[in-house]
Structure formats: C-alpha cells, structure tokens
Amino acid sequence: MTSRGDDDPAAGHARTLLRTATRYSGSRCVALCLVSIAATGAGLLLPAALGRALDLLLAHAPATRWVLCCAGLVLLLGVLDAVQTVLTGTVDARTTAWLRRRLTGHVLGVGPRAADRFGSGDLVARLVGNAAEAGTTPAARAALLAALAGPVGGVVALGLIDWWLAAVFLAGAPVLALLLRAVSRDTSESASRYQRAQGRIAAALAEAVEGVLTVRAAGAEGRETARVLRALPDLSRAGHRMWRVQGRAAARAVAVAPLLQLAVVAVAGVLLTRDRLSVGEVLAASRYAVLATGVGMLVGRLAGLARARAAARRLGEVETEPATAFGTRRLPDGPGRLELRGVTARRGGRTVLDGVDLDVPGGTTLALVGRSGAGKSLLAALAGRLADPDAGEVLLDGVPLRELPHHDLRGAVGYAFARPALLGGTVEQAIGLGLPSPSPARIREAARTALADDFVRRLPDGYGTAVADAPRSGGESQRLGLARAFAHGGRLLILDDALSSLDTVTERRITDALFGDGPGSTRLLVAHRGATAACADAVAWLDGGRVRAVGRHEELWRLAEYRAAFGDGAGLADTCAGDAPPAPDTRDGHGEERDSTSGRTRTGAAAGDGTDS
C-alpha cells in the first residue's frame, strides 16, 4: 500500500517542509501552545467564578474574594492575549523566513530547470506569497489546539454542572463536526485554485516587465495588460468560492450554534425551577454553552490552515524538482581539457543536441558557431554543468562533471553571459562575486583586462558605487560580466555570446587579450561574428543538433553552408590580426564537408587539426 506522499509527491514534500519548519520554531510553538491553553483555561474558569460571585451576592454573603478572582482572571486573559499575539507574529515571521531561505536555496540548487518548469514570475509568487501563507501553519496549529480545548472544556464544564446540560449539547455536536469538515475540504480546494491563478498572473507580469521596452515600442500596452490579467476571472471565481464557503459555514454556524445554546439555557432553566441549579450556575452554563459552540473561531482557524496547506503544497511542488547532485571526486591538476562524449540534450520535447562528441585540448580556444537554435548556448551550459545532458557525459581533465564537488567545479569553470546579472551591493562586489576573498588588486586587474576600469573609475564612488546607482550601457554591463569571469579565473572559461554588445574596437582589444595571454587556460566561446571565430584556434560548427565540422574559420569559410550560418555574407571580411580569409570557393561545398557523426572530433591550433575525424 502506498503512502499519501507516494501518491502525491508535492503533498509529501509539503508535509515534510511544514514538519521541519515547525521544529525550527519548536520552542516558540510549544510556548504559544501553552499560552493559548492557559488563556483557554482562564476563559473556562471565569464563568464559574462569575457564577459563584453572583450566588454569594444574591445571598448577601461576602463575595469580595470571588470578585477579585474574576478581576484577576480578566487581567490574566488580557496579558495572555498580548503574549499570544507577540508569539504568533514571531513564529509566523521565523517560519516564513525559514521557508524562503529553504526554497530559495533549493531553486538555486536546481538551476535553470526550476524557471523552465514554473516560470520566474510564478516562482517569485511561491517564494514570497505562498511562503508567507504557509509560514502561518505552525502558529495556527498551536492555536488550533487551544481553539479545540475551548469547546471541549465547555462541554466538560456543562457536564460538571449537570449531566443533562452536556447531553443536550452533545445531541447536536455531529452537525457541528460535519460543518467543520466541509469547511476544511472546500476551503482547501478553492484556495489551491486561487493560488494557481495568482501564480499565472505573476508569471505573465514578470514576462511583461522584462520586455517592457519591446511592449512600449510595439504600442501593445493594452494587449499585454489583457494577457497579464487573463487569469483574473479564474482568480475572481476562486476568491468568490472561498467567500461563499466561509459564508455558508458562518450561516450554518449562526443557525446551529444559537439553537444549541438556547437548548442548554432552556434545560438549565428547567433545572433551576427544580432547585437542581442556582442562578449563578445558570449564568455559568449559558457562558459554557457559548464556549462549547465556538464554531466561528474554529471555522476561521480551519480555513486559515486549509489556505496554508494549499500554499505549502505549491512549495512542495517546487521541491519535487530535484536539486543538482554533486560528487566527491577531486579534480586533478590539468590544463583544462574539455570532452563531450555522446552528449544528447532535449528541451521542450525537442532534441537540441544529438550524440555530440567533442574534444577541446587544454589551453586552446574553441568557438561555437551555428544558426539560431543550433544549440550553442545549451552546449556552453553543459560544458560547465549549468545543465545536465539527457545522455552522454561531459569531462574536465578526464573527470566527469557529475562526479566533481560543487566547490571544485565552480572554482574550475568561469562564465560570462550576453546579459550578465550584476549581483552584489557595489560594483567591486559584483565583479568579485563567487570569490572567497577577492582582493582589490585582482578586481581592478580583471576590470582592466575587460576594458571596464576607465568607466568604473568615472562612477560617483568608483568601485564602491552601488550597482543600482551605476548608469551603464549594455556593452558596459557586458564588460563588467567579462571582468567577473576574468577575476574568477579557473582552467576553463566559457563565454556565452559575451561580446555581442561590444563595439568592434572594444571587442578586438578584448579578444586580443583573451586569445593572447588573457586569463583562463581553455576557452569556449559562443560566436555570432566572424571576427570572433577567426581569432579562435578552432571552430565547432553546430548544425542539426550535431557537430557538422571542426576546423579553422578560414578553412570552413570556403563552405557555402558555413558562410550561411553568419547570414547575408556577414564575416566575409572578418579577420584576426589583419589576415584576410581565403576567397570563398564557388562550389556549394557539399563535396567538401565531412560529417562528424562517426568517431571523435578534436580541435587544435594548427591549421590542419580542425578537420572532422
């Protein structure tokens, strides 16, 4: 027989999350539970004390002690209520913070797969809104015990006054139990729908904000607004359903609870006429009947718990996506030789890379060239294990990347991207991101290599300028991203279209440094310009999910289909260090191209090393 967690992995992860979160604030939860129960106990003692004081006053007997007792209970209730409020807020805040840290770490550990599955906007909605709602669970559970103790204590107190009073109340108890069960079930279902609709709106909004310039340029503000709010009717229906569920529950409670209270008071009146109860006991019985029928409080608690469980399940869905696992094998000394063996990678049901074999000797520079969608960026991601292949293996200096510890892998591979995310408080921190103890000298040397030092020094506070306050162009952002990669160092440097926003002069100066004595041992570049490919030791031409050919740019330039990968003759005059490429062969190139589907492909610096093998 399978467990509930096996039937619904997300629900199983949600329960684990909530159990761990409750343990994280365990002492405070216990204190909250004790304070809540103490408040309930004081509330249960108060009707008895009031009843006893009333009987003494009616009998003209001394009642000062009981009156003071009542006043003390009222004061105690006020203090306990204040403590309960503080503890509830503290537990909610601590639990929410823990859930956000846990889920943020997990999302970062999963990597791009998390955004691919859920969307960045929906992930933010889960980590912010759903985590806050799920974070109320431990405190709500602790308070629920006290909320249950009130009705149970009320029934027990009625039985202590007279068993007939408890019997009358228990006769209608099954109706209350069914009411509470229906509230919990229906609220949970509608809350799940509501939160899913919120996630869809958040995902669409994140896309619109990211592409706001495109939207404005196209004059599509109205259309994009309609797209973002497309899920609004679903949100409205789910929200109205929640209100209807709680409204029906409240209406039923209003119908059932007063009838039970009236029945208890009526029986107490009959017992009063038979001298089985005193006036004070009738007063106490009426108050205990109210406590015993405290459905309103229970309905609110159960509805809150149902919403929190629905939110926790959405967090559990994120945790079902496994984080990247790392090995324990140490990386030996080596020049940074990169190997891809039979690598296949699929995205969105489509095979992007199909059985790719590639060998990049240490110390060489390989440019990846191909039409849009050929898989260049995906191969670059696989080379540094920002993604894992569906089949095959990627090795660095003979060690599969899967077997490397996280620290060794990230220390050995540096990345620069077309649109770098500049994280950190200041520009200096953004360049030194990931370094255990970045020195100012190292940061500035990397910035000089990336030709970023001059414009950084012109910022209001130089390298100490806050990233958010540092005005910069797209090319300047790319140079900061390159500086970060250069400061990182490592034996393998991967540039995923990281030169695309640079002007020609700046690109040439950076490539001269990069391909000459620049940082990094082995370099893998996604290249869209012939000038970049021309400067590399070799070019890997991706086409149709496979490596079509490997060789020097000037050799491959003779092939018409290779030239077409740059589009409209781009790269015709592209050279490195002033060398003009050979004139294009007028043949179509079909007879000259060698398929790399069999055997292994090896890149080299020599002109003849790049032919397919």
Side-chain angles (χ1 to χ4, degrees), residues 528-565:
H528 291 283
R529 296 179 182 175
T532 306
C535 291
D537 295 323
V539 174
W541 172 23
L542 295 179
D543 184 36
R546 305 184 71 85
V547 177
R548 180 75 171 269
V550 175
R552 296 281 298 180
H553 173 71
E554 57 267 26
E555 295 173 347
L556 297 177
W557 186 254
R558 298 188 179 96
L559 308 178
E561 292 186 0
Y562 177 78
R563 296 196 301 273

Side-chain angles (χ1 to χ4, degrees), residues 288-460:
Y288 286 131
V290 172
L291 289 174
T293 55
V295 178
M297 181 177 294
L298 281 175
V299 166
R301 297 291 186 190
L302 288 175
L305 273 174
R307 290 193 297 270
R309 281 201 303 270
R313 190 185 182 284
R314 283 173 57 78
L315 301 182
E317 288 176 356
V318 177
E319 287 226 325
T320 59
E321 193 70 31
T324 302
F326 294 89
T328 57
R329 186 172 172 183
R330 307 300 300 184
L331 189 64
D333 292 335
R337 179 183 180 184
L338 177 67
E339 300 173 81
L340 280 75
R341 298 177 179 174
V343 167
T344 296
R346 303 178 184 89
R347 291 296 181 269
R350 180 174 72 93
T351 299
V352 181
L353 297 175
D354 186 12
V356 171
D357 289 312
L358 194 62
D359 190 340
V360 187
T364 63
T365 299
L366 176 71
L368 298 176
V369 169
R371 292 181 180 271
S372 178
K376 304 182 294 297
S377 291
L378 179 55
L379 193 151
L382 296 173
R385 210 189 171 198
L386 295 184
D388 285 324
D390 295 285
E393 211 167 33
V394 182
L395 301 93
L396 183 61
D397 284 324
V399 181
L401 298 187
R402 294 177 185 269
E403 298 180 13
L404 289 174
H406 180 269
H407 181 268
D408 282 17
L409 175 62
R410 293 297 156 229
V413 182
Y415 266 98
F417 302 97
R419 298 174 63 186
L422 299 174
L423 309 175
T426 65
V427 172
E428 183 172 4
Q429 291 170 348
I431 296 175
L433 183 71
L435 297 178
S437 55
S439 66
R442 183 173 181 178
I443 298 297
R444 283 152 180 75
E445 178 60 30
R448 282 191 289 271
T449 303
L451 302 182
D453 182 69
D454 286 344
F455 82 81
V456 170
R457 289 182 181 276
R458 290 195 298 269
L459 294 173

Side-chain angles (χ1 to χ4, degrees), residues 24 94-106 127:
Y24 176 72
R94 281 175 55 85
T95 307
T96 300
W98 183 87
L99 286 171
R100 286 174 177 163
R101 283 197 300 270
R102 164 82 173 250
L103 268 295
T104 300
H106 183 77
L127 295 178

Side-chain angles (χ1 to χ4, degrees), residues 132-159:
E133 201 151 22
T136 63
T137 303
R141 284 176 173 172
L144 182 63
L145 292 176
L148 289 171
V152 171
V155 174
V156 172
L158 288 174

